[in-house]
Amino acid sequence: HSWRTVFSTWSNDAGMDADLIEAQLDHSIGTKVQAAYDRAKRLERRAEIMEIHEGALLAAMKASRAN
């Protein structure tokens, strides 16, 4: 769960949508009733979060190599 924790912490600190973070981690969102009716995967918005996260990881990797 280490990488999942890093992703969740980073995303929450960056002000990302909490429901999208939970969806990306494949967690249930909302109540059982909400989950029963809302079956949207939000793939485009989740992909945006992953692209931003990828950019942050690549920047950190480049910074560590520069030192």
Side-chain angles (χ1 to χ4, degrees):
H1 281 83
S2 297
W3 282 109
R4 295 166 64 88
T5 301
V6 169
F7 172 77
S8 178
T9 301
W10 175 86
S11 298
N12 281 295
D13 283 348
M16 302 289 178
D17 184 302
D19 286 345
L20 289 177
I21 295 166
E22 293 304 309
Q24 189 61 30
L25 294 170
D26 201 27
H27 293 166
S28 297
I29 301 170
T31 66
K32 288 182 180 182
V33 172
Q34 289 170 322
Y37 289 103
D38 184 1
R39 307 249 174 111
K41 298 292 183 194
R42 297 166 179 82
L43 295 178
E44 288 181 15
R45 293 178 61 204
R46 289 169 55 189
E48 291 172 13
I49 288 177
M50 295 309 296
E51 288 172 4
I52 294 168
H53 189 65
E54 174 191 31
L57 290 173
L58 291 173
M61 182 180 68
K62 287 178 185 177
S64 71
R65 290 182 177 170
N67 294 328

PDB file of all heavy atoms in Angstrom, residues 45-59:
ATOM      1  N   ARG A  45     -11.216  12.192 -16.303  1.00  0.00           N
ATOM      2  CA  ARG A  45     -10.751  13.009 -15.173  1.00  0.00           C
ATOM      3  C   ARG A  45      -9.712  12.258 -14.354  1.00  0.00           C
ATOM      4  O   ARG A  45      -8.754  12.850 -13.852  1.00  0.00           O
ATOM      5  CB  ARG A  45     -11.936  13.433 -14.314  1.00  0.00           C
ATOM      6  CG  ARG A  45     -12.853  14.408 -15.074  1.00  0.00           C
ATOM      7  CD  ARG A  45     -14.059  14.830 -14.299  1.00  0.00           C
ATOM      8  NE  ARG A  45     -13.678  15.530 -13.087  1.00  0.00           N
ATOM      9  CZ  ARG A  45     -14.470  15.600 -12.018  1.00  0.00           C
ATOM     10  NH1 ARG A  45     -15.655  15.025 -12.021  1.00  0.00           N
ATOM     11  NH2 ARG A  45     -14.077  16.244 -10.939  1.00  0.00           N
ATOM     12  N   ARG A  46      -9.878  10.938 -14.217  1.00  0.00           N
ATOM     13  CA  ARG A  46      -8.880  10.136 -13.487  1.00  0.00           C
ATOM     14  C   ARG A  46      -7.570  10.106 -14.252  1.00  0.00           C
ATOM     15  O   ARG A  46      -6.486  10.145 -13.648  1.00  0.00           O
ATOM     16  CB  ARG A  46      -9.425   8.737 -13.254  1.00  0.00           C
ATOM     17  CG  ARG A  46     -10.549   8.714 -12.227  1.00  0.00           C
ATOM     18  CD  ARG A  46     -11.273   7.406 -12.169  1.00  0.00           C
ATOM     19  NE  ARG A  46     -10.385   6.273 -11.941  1.00  0.00           N
ATOM     20  CZ  ARG A  46     -10.773   5.007 -12.031  1.00  0.00           C
ATOM     21  NH1 ARG A  46     -12.022   4.715 -12.338  1.00  0.00           N
ATOM     22  NH2 ARG A  46      -9.928   4.040 -11.807  1.00  0.00           N
ATOM     23  N   ALA A  47      -7.634  10.059 -15.581  1.00  0.00           N
ATOM     24  CA  ALA A  47      -6.416  10.073 -16.399  1.00  0.00           C
ATOM     25  C   ALA A  47      -5.669  11.386 -16.219  1.00  0.00           C
ATOM     26  O   ALA A  47      -4.432  11.398 -16.165  1.00  0.00           O
ATOM     27  CB  ALA A  47      -6.764   9.845 -17.868  1.00  0.00           C
ATOM     28  N   GLU A  48      -6.398  12.490 -16.105  1.00  0.00           N
ATOM     29  CA  GLU A  48      -5.761  13.791 -15.875  1.00  0.00           C
ATOM     30  C   GLU A  48      -4.970  13.783 -14.568  1.00  0.00           C
ATOM     31  O   GLU A  48      -3.837  14.288 -14.517  1.00  0.00           O
ATOM     32  CB  GLU A  48      -6.812  14.901 -15.835  1.00  0.00           C
ATOM     33  CG  GLU A  48      -7.459  15.177 -17.162  1.00  0.00           C
ATOM     34  CD  GLU A  48      -8.634  16.150 -17.052  1.00  0.00           C
ATOM     35  OE1 GLU A  48      -8.802  16.797 -15.993  1.00  0.00           O
ATOM     36  OE2 GLU A  48      -9.376  16.258 -18.033  1.00  0.00           O
ATOM     37  N   ILE A  49      -5.546  13.228 -13.520  1.00  0.00           N
ATOM     38  CA  ILE A  49      -4.843  13.148 -12.236  1.00  0.00           C
ATOM     39  C   ILE A  49      -3.567  12.323 -12.386  1.00  0.00           C
ATOM     40  O   ILE A  49      -2.512  12.687 -11.876  1.00  0.00           O
ATOM     41  CB  ILE A  49      -5.742  12.532 -11.136  1.00  0.00           C
ATOM     42  CG1 ILE A  49      -6.828  13.514 -10.723  1.00  0.00           C
ATOM     43  CG2 ILE A  49      -4.920  12.137  -9.916  1.00  0.00           C
ATOM     44  CD1 ILE A  49      -7.789  12.947  -9.697  1.00  0.00           C
ATOM     45  N   MET A  50      -3.663  11.215 -13.103  1.00  0.00           N
ATOM     46  CA  MET A  50      -2.490  10.352 -13.274  1.00  0.00           C
ATOM     47  C   MET A  50      -1.406  11.045 -14.095  1.00  0.00           C
ATOM     48  O   MET A  50      -0.214  10.896 -13.826  1.00  0.00           O
ATOM     49  CB  MET A  50      -2.894   9.019 -13.914  1.00  0.00           C
ATOM     50  CG  MET A  50      -3.811   8.181 -13.032  1.00  0.00           C
ATOM     51  SD  MET A  50      -3.209   7.927 -11.340  1.00  0.00           S
ATOM     52  CE  MET A  50      -1.722   6.998 -11.643  1.00  0.00           C
ATOM     53  N   GLU A  51      -1.787  11.836 -15.085  1.00  0.00           N
ATOM     54  CA  GLU A  51      -0.810  12.581 -15.879  1.00  0.00           C
ATOM     55  C   GLU A  51      -0.096  13.629 -15.028  1.00  0.00           C
ATOM     56  O   GLU A  51       1.112  13.817 -15.138  1.00  0.00           O
ATOM     57  CB  GLU A  51      -1.480  13.220 -17.087  1.00  0.00           C
ATOM     58  CG  GLU A  51      -1.881  12.214 -18.149  1.00  0.00           C
ATOM     59  CD  GLU A  51      -2.718  12.817 -19.256  1.00  0.00           C
ATOM     60  OE1 GLU A  51      -2.939  14.053 -19.254  1.00  0.00           O
ATOM     61  OE2 GLU A  51      -3.162  12.050 -20.133  1.00  0.00           O
ATOM     62  N   ILE A  52      -0.853  14.310 -14.176  1.00  0.00           N
ATOM     63  CA  ILE A  52      -0.250  15.301 -13.271  1.00  0.00           C
ATOM     64  C   ILE A  52       0.698  14.603 -12.295  1.00  0.00           C
ATOM     65  O   ILE A  52       1.812  15.071 -12.040  1.00  0.00           O
ATOM     66  CB  ILE A  52      -1.344  16.085 -12.519  1.00  0.00           C
ATOM     67  CG1 ILE A  52      -2.138  16.940 -13.508  1.00  0.00           C
ATOM     68  CG2 ILE A  52      -0.748  16.940 -11.413  1.00  0.00           C
ATOM     69  CD1 ILE A  52      -3.420  17.518 -12.933  1.00  0.00           C
ATOM     70  N   HIS A  53       0.268  13.464 -11.765  1.00  0.00           N
ATOM     71  CA  HIS A  53       1.099  12.697 -10.834  1.00  0.00           C
ATOM     72  C   HIS A  53       2.373  12.201 -11.525  1.00  0.00           C
ATOM     73  O   HIS A  53       3.458  12.270 -10.961  1.00  0.00           O
ATOM     74  CB  HIS A  53       0.298  11.529 -10.263  1.00  0.00           C
ATOM     75  CG  HIS A  53       0.961  10.804  -9.144  1.00  0.00           C
ATOM     76  ND1 HIS A  53       1.221  11.394  -7.932  1.00  0.00           N
ATOM     77  CD2 HIS A  53       1.434   9.540  -9.051  1.00  0.00           C
ATOM     78  CE1 HIS A  53       1.821  10.522  -7.140  1.00  0.00           C
ATOM     79  NE2 HIS A  53       1.970   9.389  -7.797  1.00  0.00           N
ATOM     80  N   GLU A  54       2.226  11.738 -12.772  1.00  0.00           N
ATOM     81  CA  GLU A  54       3.388  11.297 -13.542  1.00  0.00           C
ATOM     82  C   GLU A  54       4.390  12.439 -13.695  1.00  0.00           C
ATOM     83  O   GLU A  54       5.593  12.254 -13.506  1.00  0.00           O
ATOM     84  CB  GLU A  54       2.954  10.808 -14.924  1.00  0.00           C
ATOM     85  CG  GLU A  54       4.124  10.467 -15.831  1.00  0.00           C
ATOM     86  CD  GLU A  54       3.714  10.241 -17.267  1.00  0.00           C
ATOM     87  OE1 GLU A  54       2.727  10.854 -17.731  1.00  0.00           O
ATOM     88  OE2 GLU A  54       4.384   9.450 -17.937  1.00  0.00           O
ATOM     89  N   GLY A  55       3.903  13.627 -14.024  1.00  0.00           N
ATOM     90  CA  GLY A  55       4.777  14.787 -14.176  1.00  0.00           C
ATOM     91  C   GLY A  55       5.532  15.113 -12.896  1.00  0.00           C
ATOM     92  O   GLY A  55       6.723  15.433 -12.930  1.00  0.00           O
ATOM     93  N   ALA A  56       4.839  15.002 -11.766  1.00  0.00           N
ATOM     94  CA  ALA A  56       5.485  15.267 -10.479  1.00  0.00           C
ATOM     95  C   ALA A  56       6.559  14.226 -10.189  1.00  0.00           C
ATOM     96  O   ALA A  56       7.651  14.562  -9.703  1.00  0.00           O
ATOM     97  CB  ALA A  56       4.447  15.291  -9.360  1.00  0.00           C
ATOM     98  N   LEU A  57       6.285  12.958 -10.491  1.00  0.00           N
ATOM     99  CA  LEU A  57       7.273  11.903 -10.263  1.00  0.00           C
ATOM    100  C   LEU A  57       8.488  12.077 -11.172  1.00  0.00           C
ATOM    101  O   LEU A  57       9.633  11.915 -10.722  1.00  0.00           O
ATOM    102  CB  LEU A  57       6.643  10.525 -10.482  1.00  0.00           C
ATOM    103  CG  LEU A  57       5.627  10.072  -9.453  1.00  0.00           C
ATOM    104  CD1 LEU A  57       4.972   8.771  -9.902  1.00  0.00           C
ATOM    105  CD2 LEU A  57       6.269   9.900  -8.088  1.00  0.00           C
ATOM    106  N   LEU A  58       8.257  12.415 -12.441  1.00  0.00           N
ATOM    107  CA  LEU A  58       9.376  12.621 -13.361  1.00  0.00           C
ATOM    108  C   LEU A  58      10.226  13.808 -12.951  1.00  0.00           C
ATOM    109  O   LEU A  58      11.465  13.768 -13.032  1.00  0.00           O
ATOM    110  CB  LEU A  58       8.862  12.779 -14.788  1.00  0.00           C
ATOM    111  CG  LEU A  58       8.256  11.528 -15.427  1.00  0.00           C
ATOM    112  CD1 LEU A  58       7.626  11.868 -16.764  1.00  0.00           C
ATOM    113  CD2 LEU A  58       9.308  10.440 -15.563  1.00  0.00           C
ATOM    114  N   ALA A  59       9.583  14.884 -12.489  1.00  0.00           N
ATOM    115  CA  ALA A  59      10.318  16.064 -12.024  1.00  0.00           C
ATOM    116  C   ALA A  59      11.159  15.721 -10.801  1.00  0.00           C
ATOM    117  O   ALA A  59      12.327  16.143 -10.701  1.00  0.00           O
ATOM    118  CB  ALA A  59       9.348  17.195 -11.704  1.00  0.00           C
TER     119      ALA A  59
END
